[in-house]
Amino acid sequence: MGTKVAVVDGEPAMHELADRLETENYEVSLCPFDAEVLNCIKRVQPDVVVMDLSGPPEALGLNIIPIIKTDPTLSVTPLVICTSPTPEVEQLVKQLARVGLYVIRGPCGVDEFINAIEQAVSEGK
Amino acid sequence: MAREQILDFGTIKGRRLDDIDLLYFISGKRLYEIGSQSGEYPPLGWRRPGFLVGKPIGVVGAAERPEQAAHLLSEMGGVWAHPTKAIESFYFSITEDDETWVLKNSDTFVNHLAYVDFVFKRNGFEVTRTDFVVEDLPALFALVRIVNRREHAALFKLNFLTMVNILPSWFSGLPNGDDIVFYDNGRAIAYDSKRPEHWAVVFGTKARPESEQFGEQDGRKTVKFTYGINLGAGEEAFLPFLFIAENQRGYPEAIHRFNLLIGQGQQLLQDKIAYYEEKVFSGVRFDCSDPWHTMAFYTAKANLVMLTADVTPYVGRYLYAGIPEYVQFFGTDTAYSIPGLMVVDYWDIAKDALLGLASYGDKLCGRIPHEISTGGRVFHPGNTQETPQYTIAAWNYFKWTGDRVFLEDVYPICAMGVLDYVPAHWDVDLDYYPDGNGVVERTGMGSEKLDSICYFTRAIYCLADMAEALGSASDRERYLQLADDLKDAINADWWIEEDALYADSLNDDHSPRSDGHWTIAVPMETGMAPPDRAVRSLERIRREWVNRWGMVHTKDKEDFVWTLPTGVLAMAEFRYGDPDFAVRLLRNITETTETGTLGTYKELIPEGLSFMQLWSPAMYLQGLIEGVFGLRPEAKDNFLEVSPKIPSYWEHAEIENLRVGEHRVSIFCDRTQGEKTSVAYVSGRGRFKCRLKLPVEAQTRVLRKVKNKEMVKCRKETVAGRHYVVFDFEMEPAQRVEATYVRGKVTLEIKQEASDGNEGSGG
C-alpha cells in the first residue's frame, strides 16, 4: 500500500499536487480547509499532511497547525506546509522541527511539495 | 481493530466503534489521569512560544517567550497532582508459558465519568481495569479483575509496570530534581531529590510482589512488580492497585495514606459514584421535550464536576480551563463560566474561583490575570477585558446568592480594576476605550477592540449595581452616568450603519474597522446595542457568520468554529432576537459531546484543541437555563424574574430546584394546551418575590383568579415591538403560581401545593 497523504484543499494548486501524487502511487485524500478538516484528517490517518498556507492571511492559516498538532492521533504525523518566510514562520519551524513540521518557503510548486513529502516520509520511518 | 467506546453514567449514554485511539480524563479535586482509551499514555502537550497566549509569535513579548516554555511538550498526559506530575504511565501484562500479553489495546472502553473501565479479552481471559480518582485526595486506584473463562485452571504472572515522572508543572517556579525510587514493604516509593520532604509517590497493591525490578528508560525511572496467580476454571482474581501522590509532606505522608486507603478500593469507588450521582442528578434538574438537551444538561453538569480542582496551598480551588493542556487558572475562562456554574448551584467552586482571582487582582492593583500557573505564579497578567469581565462575573455571583460579605470583599478590587487600572494602564489616548488585546488576540486589528469596550461598559453598569447594593447611592449615580455615556459613545463611534454591524476595532484615527471577527456579537451579548440595531445586526450575523457548526471565528478568513463565539451569539439571540436560533446554537455546542471522546464538551465544534473545555458546558448551561427561562435573579431582594423563551419546537421545558439566595423554585413551561407557565416555590425562608413576564399578542386580556387582586400586580409592556404581560407577586413556600395563555387571554392562578399531594386554591 502506498504512502497515505492528506492534502488540505485550500488552494487550487493543491488539486494539481493531488493528481501528481496519485500518478506517483501515493494514496491521496483531499480534506476541506474548514471546520471539518480535523475530522477528515483523522479519518484518513495519513502518513503525511500537506497544506498550502501561502494564500492570505497567513497568520490565520497558521492556526490550523495547533488544531492538528494537539490531537493525540496526529501529534507525531509530519506536516508539510507552504508559506512565506515571515518571522512567525521561522519561529514555528524552530519550535516544531522535533514534532515533524516541514516548511516550504513559498512560492511552492508541485516538485517542491513532493520533495518535502519524500523527506518527511523518509525521516518519519 | 476498532474499539468499542461506551459512555454510561446514569441517563448519560453513548456508544460508538472507533478506529482511532481517543483520550479520556478522570479526576478528583486533587489529582487527575489522562490517557488513551487503549490503555496507552500518548505524549500530549504542545505548548510553545507564539501560541502560549493564543497570539502570533510576532506580537508576543519577551517575557512570554522563555527558553523553557516548551518544557511540558509531550508531558501533559499521565497522572498529575498539581503542581506536580507523578506518573508518566502504567500498565499491566500477563505472562503465561513464556508468552506475555500486554494490556495496552483494550477491546472495549467504558467511560462512567466517575471512573473508567478498560476491558481486555484473550485466550479465555477477561481482564477489566477500573481506574478512578478518590474525590478529595491525591489518590488513584486501578482495580484489576481477571476472570478465567477457560475450562481448566491457569497459572500465570501479572506484571505491573510503572514509569515514574515527578515533574513540576509549567511555570510553577518549582525545581525539578532526579527521581529517586526504592522498594519498601511491597510498595514502590519515589521522591524528587530536590524536594524530598515535599514530593513523593507511593504505589503498589496489598500483596507483596514475587519479584521487583527497578530500571530506567528514556531518562525516567521504571518499576516492574510481578505477582504469581493461580486461577481455577471460572474463578476470578481481584487486585486493587493504588497510587498516592503527595506534594507537601513527602513520602512518609504518602505511605501513611497508602496504608489507610489500600484496603478500601471498592468502598471508595462506591463513594465516588455516589458523589457524582449526587452532584449531577440531584439538586438542580432539567427536562424538556428534546431528550438530547436533557442528556446534554446532565453531561454539562458532570463536565463541570470533573473540571473542579483544588490545588491548595499553591493556587487554591478553581476550575481547569482546558484538558489536557490548559489546566492553569484562567481569568477569562472562569469569568465566562460563572453564570453556568450559578444556574446549577455550583456556587462553592464559583465563589472560591472568584475569590482566588480577587486575591491576585488585589496584588495587581485591580488587574485580573489572564493565566496563573498551578504553582501560583502569574504567567500572563491579563488583557484589557479580563478585569471588566471579572466584575461582571462577580456581580452575577452576587445576583444569585445575595452574599453581601463576598460583595464587600471584592467590590473595592472591582472598582480599583475597572475605574482606575483599566483607564490608567490601557487608555492610551484618554478616550475611555482600552487599547490592547481583548478576547481576540489577532494581529492587524486596530488597537481599541469592540469586546474590550463592551465588557468595560457592562462592568461599570455592574459597579453601579454593586454600589447600590452596598448602600452608596452617589457612587451608583456616577457610575451609571459614566456607563450610559460610554454606551452612547459605542453606538456613535463603532456602529457602521451601511453594514448594520459594529466595527470590531477602531483604528488609531478612531475610524471604525471591520476584520470579520466574531466579537461583533458582543454588543448584543452585553446589552450595548439598541433593539433595532441588535435585530438588524443579528440578522446579518446569522446569514454570514454562522455555518453548520456555529459561529465562525473570522468571516471569510477562518472557518473554524469555537464554542465560545457560538455561546456568546446564543446569549445575544436570547437577549434580543430569536430563541429558536439561540437553542440551535446551544445544540451546536452539545454536538462536541458526540465527536471524539464521548461525553466531553470540547473547545472547537465539532472537535479540536482541548477535548474538555470549561466554558463550553458552562455557556451551554447558562443558555439553557438563564436564556431559555429568561431568568433575572436579585437574591438580595428575594426576587426572580422569569420570562420564558422556549423555542417553538419544544412542547415543554422545566427546571427544578433552581436556587436563588436561600430560596428554591421550580419553573414549568408547557404548550400542549395553550401556553402554560408555572413557578413553584419549593423551599426557603420567608416570602419570595417573583415577576412573570410573558410574551403575548397585542390585545391580550388578563384574568387574575385570586381572592385579592392586589396580591398580584399586573401591567402590559411593549419592548422593541414585542408585547408582554407582566405579573408581580409574592409567594410562600409550597405555593405555585400558574399562568395560562389561551386564545388571547392570560389567566393567572395561585395554588397551594398541599403536603398530602392535593392542590387547593390559596388565592
Side-chain angles (χ1 to χ4, degrees), chain A residues 33-39 42 45 60 63-67 69-70 72-73 88 91-92 95-96 98-99, chain B residues 20-21 23 43-44 46 48-49 51 56-58 65 73 442 549 557-560 604-609:
Chain A
F33 193 178
D34 63 17
E36 305 220 44
V37 67
L38 183 68
N39 268 336
K42 282 169 70 170
Q45 283 294 296
L60 293 175
N63 284 326
I64 193 176
I65 296 172
I67 291 171
K69 282 291 173 187
T70 50
T73 62
E88 293 159 60
Q91 268 285 7
L92 199 66
Q95 290 296 323
L96 295 182
R98 63 185 275 208
V99 291
Chain B
I20 52 177
D21 200 7
L23 298 177
L44 301 172
W46 195 73
R48 61 175 179 76
F51 286 99
I57 292 159
R65 206 183 297 162
L73 190 73
R442 297 281 162 91
W549 298 110
K557 293 173 187 165
E558 188 172 326
D559 281 346
F560 298 123
L604 293 189
I605 310 174
E607 192 187 358
L609 298 176

Side-chain angles (χ1 to χ4, degrees), chain B residues 666-684:
Chain B
S666 296
I667 303 162
F668 306 88
C669 301
D670 186 285
R671 54 164 61 108
T672 49
Q673 293 178 311
E675 301 258 348
K676 188 178 284 184
T677 305
S678 66
V679 180
Y681 186 8
V682 178
S683 64

